[in-house]
Amino acid sequence: MKKPYEIDSDFFKKMTFSGWYLERDVILKKLPSHLEELPNLVRQFLREIWYISVTNDFYNRDKYGRYIFRNEVYTFGETTAKLIDYSLEEESSCLCTHLVNKKIRNFGFKDGREIMIDELGRIYEIPDSGDVYYIGGKFYEGLYNLIFKRGDSYLVSDTGELFIETTEGLISANMNIEDIT
């Protein structure tokens, strides 16, 4: 697993300003039960980022051509909102059945939207549409892609097939989530 300083200097700066440091391990008796069942490497990663909030500031142009300042807040761990336990049957009904079988779990929020991780450390996002998007990358690389909007983002179908959103609509990426290790 690459650490933030091995990925990008701006990402490293954001993480350290937010309270991350090398070999950080938050003092918790244990993670929430739905996260404790994940493999050791995933739990280690989650403990390193637990209780950290990262802000990404940027400017957007509105329909009148004016620049509008915005920021997105990424919160990892249970801070002000309770994490949803997708291991429970009634909670998992909104996720693709293919992903639920792979132990995908909620570990944070992006402006109130859920950020997920699977048992291999792959990062996902659930935007307002309720769809599941694979962000690309594992662990810190996935967080980097999520925060800085780097790389491709793929819509994951019920069968695990990945699609890319374009202005023309959805296009098959000719890949399955199982192909990404």
Side-chain angles (χ1 to χ4, degrees):
M1 162 183 9
K2 286 185 176 180
K3 300 294 184 180
Y5 58 85
E6 297 172 305
I7 297 170
D8 182 80
S9 60
D10 289 335
F11 179 56
F12 178 61
K13 187 176 5 174
K14 275 195 184 303
M15 292 298 289
T16 55
F17 283 161
S18 298
W20 181 90
Y21 52 88
L22 188 60
E23 297 180 13
R24 180 179 189 269
D25 186 15
V26 70
I27 299 175
L28 284 174
K29 289 183 182 175
K30 65 178 192 163
L31 294 167
S33 60
H34 67 285
L35 296 173
E36 277 295 328
E37 63 189 35
L38 294 172
N40 287 337
L41 190 58
V42 176
R43 288 195 323 261
Q44 173 193 341
F45 167 73
L46 293 174
R47 292 177 67 85
E48 289 177 5
I49 63 167
W50 206 255
Y51 297 138
I52 288 180
S53 291
V54 177
T55 303
N56 189 24
D57 302 326
F58 57 94
Y59 287 93
N60 268 356
R61 292 185 83 165
D62 66 6
K63 62 182 180 180
Y64 304 108
R66 297 177 298 202
Y67 286 97
I68 307 286
F69 175 77
R70 292 200 50 221
N71 64 14
E72 293 175 327
V73 179
Y74 301 83
T75 306
F76 309 117
E78 289 181 320
T79 53
T80 59
K82 183 160 177 55
L83 298 173
I84 296 174
D85 183 356
Y86 284 104
S87 64
L88 303 174
E89 190 172 318
E90 63 271 7
E91 296 291 348
S92 67
S93 62
C94 67
L95 287 179
C96 313
T97 55
H98 182 77
L99 291 175
V100 174
N101 294 335
K102 291 295 176 197
K103 291 187 182 174
I104 183 170
R105 302 292 186 253
N106 175 224
F107 75 97
F109 299 94
K110 171 189 170 186
D111 279 346
R113 297 178 195 103
E114 296 173 66
I115 304 171
M116 315 286 280
I117 192 167
D118 70 10
E119 59 194 24
L120 299 176
R122 297 178 294 208
I123 306 294
Y124 302 84
E125 175 185 14
I126 302 179
D128 290 338
S129 65
D131 295 326
V132 178
Y133 285 85
Y134 168 61
I135 301 302
K138 292 181 182 179
F139 302 114
Y140 290 107
E141 293 168 293
L143 290 186
Y144 171 74
N145 290 338
L146 176 72
I147 294 168
F148 289 100
K149 296 168 184 46
R150 303 282 187 194
D152 292 324
S153 176
Y154 301 97
L155 175 66
V156 184
S157 73
D158 286 340
T159 61
E161 187 177 359
L162 299 178
F163 292 90
I164 299 172
E165 281 187 312
T166 67
T167 54
E168 293 84 34
L170 291 177
I171 297 174
S172 176
N174 296 321
M175 293 185 337
N176 193 294
I177 193 68
E178 294 296 322
D179 299 336
I180 301 169
T181 57

